[in-house]
Every structure is written in structure tokens, then in C-alpha cells.
Amino acid sequence: MIKPKGLNYGSTIAIISPSNGLPYLFPDIYELGLQNLREIMGFEIVEMPTARMSPNDLYRHPELRAKDINDCFVDDNIDGIITSIGGYESVRILPYLDMDEILKHPKFIMGFSDATTFLSYFNTLGMVTFYGPSVMAGFAQLNHLPDDCTQHLKTFLFENPFPYTYKPYMKWANGYKDWAIKETLGECNEFYPNE
């Protein structure tokens, strides 16, 4: 397996939008996620050119979304990559990815939902990838999730405790409150005990 180097407090994380342009449509929840990445996780943030692009422009230009990923891997100033959100058609970026360069410069890369397409592709070629929270769905909610969630992320991201035993959380919620309502921004729906 091709393993990326570990992350540290102060690592530079690039934000990509490989699937959907939701940062363009919901900038407040996106900004909250970036703020939490900086203040709670201690990352430096670099937004790639398509990170805030409109959904229509992103759809029309899969090559630009792929270019952001390619550029992240060859840029020595970037330590890791996290997706802004999922989506539904990142499969269209695959022909534009420079896999020779990506595999020569392995880095931490994490996303969920539609990101599974390229994360799995990288993984089948031997690179370790991470299925986990995105900026808008996961990191934006950190202040409203159970305390053990943040500790889990910090352990997983910074301490490299592999093999890693993933312990179930004590409670769960089915989604988040409306991202268009500023008064509840970052809040989760009702939590239930994980029985």
C-alpha cells in the first residue's frame, strides 16, 4: 500500500469541490466548516480554485475539478485534502486525473458520499484513502456533536493509531438542521441513543 504522511496541528489542508457546488449555494455552513477546521483542528486552509464554483460551472467542467486534485498532490505546500461536500457525478473527473503524479506524491485525502468514486479508484491503485467527514457535513457541526467525535477525529488524524479500532458513538442523529437558517447553523437534528 502507498501510505500518505501523517498530519499535524498546523498542517495545510486543501479544500476541493469534486462533486457539487454547495459552498456556492450555502456559503455560511461552508465558512463554519472552514472555521472549525482552523480553530478546532488547527489546520491551515487553502481553497482550490473550484472550491466555491457554482454547481452549473462545476458540472460543465469536470476537467477543472480534476485539475484541482492533480495540483494538490504535486504541491509540496499542501499536506492533505478534504472535500467540501459530496454530490453525484465525480465519476466524470476520473479521465482527467494524472494518476502517475498522484501516486508519486501520496497525500492524506478524505471525503464521503460521491467522493467514494475517486477514493476507491485511488485505493484500487494501492493508495490509502480516508472515508470521513467533509467541510460542510461533519466539520461544520463539530460544536454540536458529542464530545467524543472531536477526540476521535484528532486521534485518527494526528496520532496515526493503526491498526485503528473504531468504537461506536453513544448517540446518533439523522442529518442536520436547515443550512439556510443562520440561527441553527451547524446544529444537528435530534440525537438518539445508539442501542
Side-chain angles (χ1 to χ4, degrees):
M1 293 299 288
I2 303 168
K3 296 181 180 180
K5 68 178 183 176
L7 299 176
N8 299 297
Y9 189 88
S11 290
T12 298
I13 300 295
I15 307 302
I16 59 172
S17 289
S19 301
N20 203 333
L22 291 187
Y24 178 91
L25 297 176
F26 297 98
D28 294 327
I29 195 74
Y30 177 66
E31 288 291 343
L32 182 58
L34 295 180
Q35 177 183 328
N36 288 345
L37 282 168
R38 288 184 186 103
E39 295 178 3
I40 297 173
M41 305 308 293
F43 291 131
E44 298 293 325
I45 301 296
V46 173
E47 293 181 75
M48 297 308 288
T50 61
R52 295 179 190 249
M53 191 176 278
S54 76
N56 288 338
D57 288 340
L58 279 178
Y59 182 80
R60 286 195 299 266
H61 294 287
E63 76 283 359
L64 295 180
R65 291 181 273 150
K67 183 179 185 309
D68 276 359
I69 295 173
N70 294 334
D71 291 348
C72 286
F73 277 96
V74 298
D75 186 338
D76 291 335
N77 295 311
I78 293 173
D79 301 307
I81 307 156
I82 296 176
T83 62
S84 63
I85 194 66
Y88 59 90
E89 49 82 45
S90 68
V91 68
R92 296 174 60 234
I93 71 175
L94 297 183
Y96 303 102
L97 293 172
D98 186 345
M99 292 312 302
D100 289 337
E101 288 300 315
I102 288 171
L103 294 174
K104 280 185 206 172
H105 304 93
K107 291 186 180 178
F108 174 89
I109 184 167
M110 182 170 69
F112 78 106
S113 185
D114 190 46
T116 306
T117 301
F118 58 88
L119 295 176
S120 296
Y121 179 48
F122 293 176
N123 197 252
T124 62
L125 296 175
M127 192 169 80
V128 173
T129 58
F130 296 84
Y131 189 89
S134 68
V135 175
M136 299 173 72
F139 286 107
Q141 292 75 29
L142 280 183
N143 287 319
H144 299 281
L145 293 173
D147 292 338
D148 58 344
C149 180
T150 300
Q151 186 53 51
H152 157 74
L153 287 171
K154 287 183 176 181
T155 300
F156 183 78
L157 293 173
F158 301 135
E159 296 177 19
N160 298 312
F162 299 107
Y164 184 70
T165 301
Y166 196 107
K167 296 178 183 175
Y169 291 111
M170 299 299 293
K171 52 187 178 178
W172 62 277
N174 188 14
Y176 314 119
K177 295 195 176 171
D178 191 333
W179 290 348
I181 300 173
K182 289 188 180 184
E183 292 75 19
T184 58
L185 197 64
E187 292 183 14
C188 302
N189 291 333
E190 182 181 356
F191 281 93
Y192 300 93
N194 192 10
E195 301 176 329

